[in-house]
């Protein structure tokens, strides 16, 4: 009973920490069915929005995991960095969480004035926080004892169950859809696919931390290449 574009607000609610990726994924599916080509600038804007969203998701996941294990300080640092990105998303889309930014055929608006500088500052902030959190957690004996060799998922089980994302990559499978089946302009961007070896909670933490830096690299390249 709805038009194609009216579905977009529903996609925000599939995962509230990375709604922009869901917005883009839905529109890509509709465009594929309708044989629509998105203008080049629109494709770059979707990548920029998606990668900001991916970073907020990983910051939330790592921060909340650390808090559950007793490291409230790491959680506060991560949420502080996420807040900087949320303000950026608010400027770009008009909303912090339920963004509804994409449209079938493109996006709902161009970059706001001063966005490039704001993003540059946000990336610096996230990198600073990552360094602090790595110092707090990565070699912390208590953190390692609680994360290493817990929640182990084998490579075979991950593939059999169709697991994706950092959880799959933590088992040692270097599969990232942005690399394996490039969409938008990901084939023009240089980034690595971090993988783990053990498939445990500690590897999932390491993969997410590494992926944040890769997303920041993608953002810097996309802004530089933006037509």
């Amino acid at each position: 009973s709805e038009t194609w574009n009216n579905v977009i607000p529903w996609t925000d609610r599939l995962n509230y920490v990375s709604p922009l990726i869901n917005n883009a994924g839905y529109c890509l599916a509709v465009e594929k069915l309708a044989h629509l080509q998105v203008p080049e600038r629109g494709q770059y804007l979707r990548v920029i929005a998606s990668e900001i969203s991916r970073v907020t998701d990983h910051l939330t996941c790592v921060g909340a995991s650390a808090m559950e294990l007793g490291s409230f300080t790491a959680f506060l640092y991560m949420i502080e960095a996420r807040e900087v990105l949320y303000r950026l998303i608010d400027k770009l889309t008009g909303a912090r969480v339920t963004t509804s930014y994409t449209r079938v055929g493109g996006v709902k608006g161009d970059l706001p004035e001063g966005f490039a500088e704001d993003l540059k500052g946000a990336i610096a902030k996230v990198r600073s926080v990552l360094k602090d959190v790595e110092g707090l957690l990565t070699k912390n004996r208590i953190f390692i004892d609680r994360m290493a060799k817990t929640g182990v998922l084998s490579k075979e089980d991950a593939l059999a169950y169709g697991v994706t994302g950092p959880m799959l990559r933590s088992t040692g499978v270097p599969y990232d859809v942005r690399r394996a089946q490039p969409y938008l302009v990901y084939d023009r961007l240089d980034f690595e696919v971090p993988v783990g070896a053990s498939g445990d909670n500690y590897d999932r933490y390491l993969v997410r931390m590494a992926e944040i830096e890769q997303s920041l690299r993608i953002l810097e390249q996309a802004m530089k290449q933006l037509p």
Side-chain angles (χ1 to χ4, degrees):
S1 64
E2 297 287 357
T3 63
W4 295 102
N5 272 325
N6 280 6
V7 176
I8 291 163
W10 300 346
T11 67
D12 289 329
R13 290 149 177 83
L14 295 171
N15 174 7
Y16 80 93
V17 274
S18 49
L20 289 155
I21 300 175
N22 301 322
N23 293 170
Y26 165 72
C27 285
L28 282 165
V30 176
E31 288 152 7
K32 192 172 182 181
L33 290 168
H35 305 290
L36 291 175
Q37 183 63 34
V38 176
E40 192 179 29
R41 186 174 177 89
Q43 292 188 50
Y44 273 97
L45 293 179
R46 285 183 178 183
V47 166
I48 290 163
S50 294
E51 293 307 317
I52 293 171
S53 204
R54 192 185 311 278
V55 174
T56 63
D57 198 321
H58 283 358
L59 289 171
T60 305
C61 193
V62 172
S65 298
M67 182 179 66
E68 296 291 349
L69 295 174
S71 180
F72 194 56
T73 304
F75 171 74
L76 292 176
Y77 285 1
M78 291 301 221
I79 296 305
E80 186 184 7
R82 189 185 76 171
E83 180 59 28
V84 173
L85 294 174
Y86 268 179
R87 287 189 204 131
L88 206 58
I89 289 167
D90 196 4
K91 279 186 179 179
L92 177 64
T93 71
R96 288 162 58 87
V97 179
T98 46
T99 51
S100 297
Y101 180 58
T102 59
R103 294 290 181 274
V104 174
V107 294
K108 78 173 184 182
D110 207 346
L111 297 179
E113 194 176 335
F115 184 86
E117 277 305 305
D118 289 343
L119 179 58
K120 197 174 175 182
I123 288 172
K125 174 65 179 176
V126 173
R127 283 198 170 119
S128 171
V129 164
L130 280 185
K131 191 176 177 184
D132 287 340
V133 171
E134 278 177 344
L136 285 168
L137 298 180
T138 302
K139 293 182 179 177
N140 183 308
R141 175 46 51 197
I142 297 171
F143 184 74
I144 293 170
D145 284 349
R146 292 177 179 178
M147 294 287 272
K149 298 178 183 172
T150 64
V152 178
L153 183 69
S154 71
K155 184 187 294 187
E156 293 72 25
D157 283 348
L159 291 168
Y161 285 114
V163 172
T164 61
M167 197 153 178
L168 173 65
R169 292 187 282 277
S170 74
T171 68
V173 179
Y175 182 84
D176 186 321
V177 73
R178 294 170 296 175
R179 178 64 55 75
Q181 299 175 46
Y183 54 96
L184 298 173
V185 290
Y186 280 108
D187 57 345
R188 305 180 195 177
L189 302 165
D190 179 40
F191 63 97
E192 294 165 21
V193 179
V195 292
S198 312
D200 60 8
N201 281 320
Y202 187 66
D203 267 7
R204 290 193 271 280
Y205 156 77
L206 292 174
V207 165
R208 282 192 173 91
M209 291 289 277
E211 284 191 12
I212 293 173
E213 174 54 33
Q214 295 309 310
S215 287
L216 299 180
R217 282 181 61 198
I218 289 171
L219 284 166
E220 288 169 334
Q221 293 172 68
M223 287 301 294
K224 198 174 284 187
Q225 294 177 21
L226 188 65

